[in-house]
Amino acid sequence: MADELSERHEVTVFANRCERPADARWDFQPVRAWRGNALATVRTFPIGLRSLATKLAAFDIRHSQGYCGGQPNVVTAHICLAAYLDSLRDISLQSRTSLRLMAAAEARFYSRYEGRVIAVSQKTADELQNFYEVRGPISVIPHGVDATRFSNENRGRDRASARRQVGVNDGDTLALYVGDLTKSHSYLKELSAAAPDVQFAIVTASPAYHWKGANVRLIPPTSEIERYYAAADAFVFPTTYDAFGMVVLEAMASGLPVFSSDRAGAAELIESGKDGLVFPLDEWVEATAAALRNPESLRSVGCEAEQTARRHDWSTVVAAVEQVYFQVAGCVSENDTENANANRHERATTRGHSAGSLTDSLRPGASSEQESTASSHRPMTTVAFIVNGNYETAMGYRARDLAARLGQFDVLIAYRSTRKIVSILSFFIFLVRARPKVTYVFDISYSGVLAAALYRIVFGNRLVVETGDAIVELARSTGSRGRLRLWLTSVLENTAFRIADRVVV
């Protein structure tokens, strides 16, 4: 993602460790953390980020991969630890205790978090809502696959040598499993016994749950896993829990029929019976053993699987994530985002000029010709919504609900950032770009009112201001503001009422 995003924007990766190619366009910022075990890393990485708070504050988008500190405004949920813990039965007390502590930390994070969430599967999105009561909008954006590295074309180059390495004959059916045995070992053991004529290659780093069988070969992890995909005739994945399961998409891209349980997020990408097979866990062994006896069907499903995987390359994922960034930065409307998601190969082509200028420098639209074509279909009246709050606030929801009801207008929405001066400038630039006939300001606050008033003075459009309170009287009655702040609030309220063409209460 960093490679492709850095072609258009300035990107810095904050991590404890990172493999950065010499020709990379993105920067790397080391973060201190103790990597004694997973729990230690989770606990100490946010501490390391605190020392970099000033650097992080300069970015419009702070995208966290899971909960790891740094005050993110976009988080990708790669797992729901509470759901994973709930799925486990046969694990050690030490592992269960460690997972409980991490799940508790994850729950606390989501209880306080107010930004955007990206889930790698609908399964994960549902789990976040059920276990952590996440109620804000969740964008489901599945992982992508490197279709160049994982391809059916590897068979011609690697299949024969890889099968010799595994120790199977050309005429044997070879089923492959890649991953942690904690979540699948019992079903794999049953399958290897139920299908004695099938050879099994198990690539795993798991030190436990090993078993011996005449048709089973345990293989240590390798950096050339694509060779084993090329050697195999099918991919088996009886997981008890996987938020996604990258290996499923890798196997599909390699032209393999995937036999997955219904507990994997990646199974959502499979149309069972066409480009893969998905079975409930209690039926998985019997159904998979029967299907592995039909080589012709395996080849047909594998061909369909490869075509499906090609639609999920990383460029598609990056484009979808980029639209979330635009939305968070307030420089794209809800309708624009929906259109972009329908055609995710469109790109934002303007490169950011500085780390703190995302709102100013990023804009959807692949070319001026496309923008001209799109604008020819727009309604005559463009309305700009200025929301004095972020995407998750009640005003944000109200603005989007109202926009959805105004189908006869072209409604563009911008949201306030956490910094007032930046928000005034961002709002004004947004208005200059949008050139609305009407500006509608949700709630009276400095950034929205001043930006809208300045634009009205310069360009002479219509201005509507909505307020839920007589803010001066409210502040006076509650005693929540000192004399100076009360006077400034009065000036702001009077300015808004005088310059507005309409006031909505």
Side-chain angles (χ1 to χ4, degrees):
M1 281 188 60
D3 287 340
E4 188 159 344
L5 283 170
S6 62
E7 293 179 2
R8 298 176 292 284
H9 319 302
E10 291 195 1
V11 177
T12 299
V13 175
F14 289 71
N16 179 247
R17 299 175 184 174
C18 183
E19 294 182 6
R20 182 180 181 274
D23 59 347
R25 296 185 177 92
W26 46 271
D27 296 324
F28 168 53
Q29 173 61 60
V31 180
R32 291 182 179 179
W34 181 48
R35 301 177 66 94
N37 53 45
L39 179 59
T41 305
V42 167
R43 293 293 192 182
T44 59
F45 188 84
I47 298 173
L49 279 178
R50 287 175 195 166
S51 64
L52 302 169
T54 302
K55 287 187 177 181
L56 283 165
F59 292 87
D60 292 283
I61 299 297
R62 295 174 298 280
H63 186 172
S64 169
Q65 304 300 311
Y67 69 104
C68 55
Q71 294 187 330
N73 50 10
V74 179
V75 169
T76 292
H78 295 271
I79 192 172
C80 174
L81 283 169
Y84 175 44
L85 182 62
D86 187 61
S87 74
L88 295 174
R89 297 293 178 267
D90 184 20
I91 62 170
S92 67
L93 177 61
Q94 180 181 355
S95 296
R96 185 172 293 278
T97 301
S98 178
L99 281 170
R100 280 177 176 167
L101 291 171
M102 288 192 290
E106 188 174 66
R108 283 195 300 274
F109 167 79
Y110 281 112
S111 70
R112 301 168 183 170
Y113 180 63
E114 296 182 350
R116 288 297 298 273
V117 176
I118 296 172
V120 296
S121 63
Q122 186 60 53
K123 167 188 172 67
T124 305
D126 293 342
E127 289 167 350
L128 292 176
Q129 293 170 335
N130 294 334
F131 283 88
Y132 300 146
E133 297 184 349
V134 175
R135 292 293 173 256
I138 300 177
S139 301
V140 177
I141 303 177
H143 283 307
V145 66
D146 183 348
T148 302
R149 179 184 178 191
F150 300 101
S151 169
N152 194 27
E153 296 177 3
N154 293 337
R155 286 174 173 265
R157 183 188 68 229
D158 297 327
R159 182 173 174 83
S161 62
R163 287 175 76 91
R164 284 196 299 271
Q165 184 178 344
V166 173
V168 298
N169 298 321
D170 289 342
D172 293 337
T173 297
L174 177 62
L176 174 68
Y177 172 83
V178 179
D180 181 11
L181 286 176
T182 306
K183 301 176 284 186
S184 58
H185 65 96
S186 60
Y187 298 96
L188 289 171
K189 289 177 185 177
E190 290 182 34
L191 179 63
S192 64
D197 295 335
V198 177
Q199 303 298 310
F200 292 88
I202 312 293
V203 181
T204 183
S206 298
Y209 308 113
H210 293 190
W211 75 100
K212 293 182 179 180
N215 60 339
V216 177
R217 292 156 180 81
L218 292 168
I219 301 169
T222 173
S223 60
E224 298 181 328
I225 190 64
E226 62 271 20
R227 297 185 69 251
Y228 291 98
Y229 288 123
D233 300 293
F235 187 80
V236 291
F237 199 66
T239 182
T240 56
Y241 180 91
D242 260 281
F244 187 76
M246 291 281 291
V247 290
V248 169
L249 201 52
E250 291 172 359
M252 293 174 70
S254 301
L256 293 180
V258 172
F259 295 83
S260 176
S261 74
D262 57 359
R263 307 286 182 88
E268 296 168 10
L269 307 181
I270 296 174
E271 185 178 344
S272 190
K274 179 183 178 184
D275 52 10
L277 295 106
V278 180
F279 304 120
L281 267 176
D282 58 355
E283 302 173 9
W284 187 87
V285 172
E286 183 179 356
T288 300
L292 286 173
R293 300 188 186 102
N294 189 342
E296 287 299 323
S297 175
L298 296 183
R299 283 189 284 272
S300 173
V301 172
C303 290
E304 291 288 344
E306 184 179 12
Q307 297 305 311
T308 297
R310 287 182 181 276
R311 296 195 292 272
H312 294 277
D313 63 353
W314 278 111
S315 62
T316 304
V317 176
V318 170
V321 171
E322 198 172 39
Q323 288 302 314
V324 174
Y325 290 172
F326 288 140
Q327 217 173 83
V328 171
C331 49
V332 61
S333 73
E334 295 290 300
N335 291 335
D336 286 340
T337 301
E338 290 174 4
N339 292 338
N341 286 337
N343 184 6
R344 288 178 175 171
H345 291 286
E346 292 187 6
R347 293 288 189 275
T349 57
T350 305
R351 183 179 173 82
H353 297 295
S354 67
S357 63
L358 181 62
T359 301
D360 300 344
S361 62
L362 302 188
R363 188 165 182 245
S367 67
S368 59
E369 181 181 351
Q370 287 175 330
E371 290 178 2
S372 176
T373 302
S375 64
S376 66
H377 296 289
R378 288 181 176 176
M380 292 298 294
T381 302
T382 299
V383 179
F385 281 3
I386 299 294
V387 180
N388 284 305
N390 64 32
Y391 186 92
E392 311 296 337
T393 59
M395 282 178 289
Y397 284 107
R398 175 172 168 75
R400 292 190 294 277
D401 181 68
L402 183 57
R405 298 168 187 269
L406 297 175
Q408 68 271 40
F409 298 98
D410 182 21
V411 180
L412 307 175
I413 306 178
Y415 302 90
R416 188 182 66 192
S417 73
T418 56
R419 293 171 290 173
K420 291 182 179 179
I421 300 300
V422 172
S423 291
I424 294 172
L425 181 61
S426 298
F427 278 149
F428 183 73
I429 293 174
F430 164 77
L431 292 170
V432 170
R433 288 175 172 170
R435 293 297 178 94
K437 297 289 186 181
V438 179
T439 302
Y440 193 108
V441 179
F442 287 81
D443 198 28
I444 296 176
S445 76
Y446 297 101
S447 51
V449 170
L450 292 178
L454 179 59
Y455 182 82
R456 188 185 189 286
I457 292 169
V458 175
F459 295 98
N461 76 331
R462 295 281 185 172
L463 174 60
V464 180
V465 174
E466 175 183 304
T467 180
D469 300 290
I471 56 175
V472 174
E473 291 304 317
L474 178 64
R476 183 179 289 118
S477 66
T478 59
S480 59
R481 304 186 184 188
R483 288 184 178 180
L484 178 58
R485 291 188 64 199
L486 189 63
W487 177 78
L488 290 173
T489 301
S490 176
V491 170
L492 174 67
E493 188 175 59
N494 288 333
T495 300
F497 290 161
R498 286 176 181 175
I499 201 167
D501 294 284
R502 293 286 188 276
V503 175
V504 177
V505 296

